[in-house]
Amino acid sequence: MRTVFWENNELKMIDQRILPARFEVVSYRSHKDVAFAITDMVVRGAPAIGAAAAFGLALAGYESASSSTEGLLADLGAAAAVLKASRPTAVNLAWAADRLMRVAYSVEGSANELRNAVLAEAQKLADEDVEINKRMAEHGAALINDGDTIIHHCNTGALATVDWGTALGVIRTAHEQGKRIHVLVDETRPRLQGARLTAWELEQYGIPYEIISDNMSGYFLKAGKAQKVFFGADRVAANGDVANKIGSYMLALAAHDNNVPVYSVVPTSTIDLSLAHGDLIPIEERNTDEVLGIQFHGEPVAPKNAKARNPAFDVTPNRLLSGIVTENGVVYPPFEINLAKVVR
Ligand code: MRU
């Protein structure tokens, strides 16, 4: 089953807030509800939220009562703005909304033809995401050796995309090729996408894994117990600086210090050539309840009035990356030159 799909005139999505305790699919008929679902992380992961925004725009088309194309385009433009504002860091969101708006403006025909064209483009974007992930996975799997132990951060699997996955898709393909792989799964505080979602996916695929808390990766890297680090990205700047789930930077630093290669796996839709370097990438700061809400032995971990911070992403500088895996091949340094080639 896909993470994000269109069925019976509704957008359906696996509810990632409650996995692995419960598997539920939720349905959406309004773009505003889709925007809230993205903010609330019913759906998360850069390519998955791009696809959700695309189908959200299709819903906006059917929600609009306008019988003129001009009126419909105005309603779609307003909906695109709402969807793009739902999370700031992953560029796939704006990329998907802008792609659909370009198609909308290019349609010559009635308002109903425009509505159907927007839905058709959303479906095309979702189908392409799966195909792109499988191409990336083939390129990335070639970097993995039989017997490798890999540290993986956050969730980058089928749940973070329409299907298959980015970094976890690479691991899944290498496993299907018969390579014996062991995955050390960073639990990924504060929302625990590793412990909850990546571990759940690895169980489905029969890939051996162990969960580690995020602060353990340095130990395993220094002890020579991990041969590769793989993670995804929410936005890659033109120079190869990579914004990804908070903790990726510390992981890459520890890997680099121990000569362990670090790969970020991204569709080219995640590469933002308009930003020269990673300091220009907007970093989402989320509600501190995500940090303070965790319990230990059934009790809150922090004093009642504790304050916290919750940046959801950090930027790994390009010097710490060995390569960036895309659907068009693996990009190596100098990234400021080679990334632009692969995007074109
Ligand atoms: O906050 P999330 O769960 O949406 O963050 C997701 C990640 O950081 C992923 O690593 C990233 O989107 C790339 S994987 C498709």
Side-chain angles (χ1 to χ4, degrees), residues 16 38 41 43-49 87 90 92 133 152-157 159-161 165-167 188 191 193 197 231-235 243-246 248 265-267 270 284 286 312-313:
Q16 302 191 37
I38 294 171
M41 293 174 72
V43 62
R44 31 72 46 204
I49 62 178
R87 286 193 82 186
N92 306 61
N133 288 340
H152 174 275
H153 195 64
C154 195
N155 172 267
T156 67
L159 290 168
T161 60
T166 61
T188 317
R191 285 193 66 115
Q193 290 95 327
L197 307 176
F231 49 69
D234 285 73
R235 196 183 299 226
N244 192 52
K245 179 51 53 195
I246 194 78
S248 302
V265 185
V266 299
T270 303
E284 176 182 15
R286 293 184 61 85
F313 301 94

Side-chain angles (χ1 to χ4, degrees), residues 136-150:
M136 279 192 302
E138 290 291 330
H139 293 303
L143 301 166
I144 294 178
N145 296 322
D146 187 34
D148 273 354
T149 291
I150 297 167

Side-chain angles (χ1 to χ4, degrees), residues 36-116:
F36 182 72
I38 294 171
T39 305
D40 203 38
M41 293 174 72
V42 170
V43 62
R44 31 72 46 204
I49 62 178
F55 284 121
L57 262 186
L59 285 174
Y62 295 113
E63 281 173 82
S64 166
S66 183
S67 54
S68 74
T69 50
E70 293 73 22
L72 180 53
L73 283 168
D75 289 344
L76 286 172
V82 169
L83 288 158
K84 280 162 80 166
S86 58
R87 286 193 82 186
T89 302
V91 73
N92 306 61
L93 199 52
W95 168 84
D98 291 346
R99 170 172 159 173
L100 263 75
M101 286 308 293
R102 274 197 303 278
V103 167
Y105 274 103
S106 73
V107 171
E108 290 173 12
S110 67
N112 274 341
E113 283 168 329
L114 201 162
R115 287 182 176 91
N116 294 340

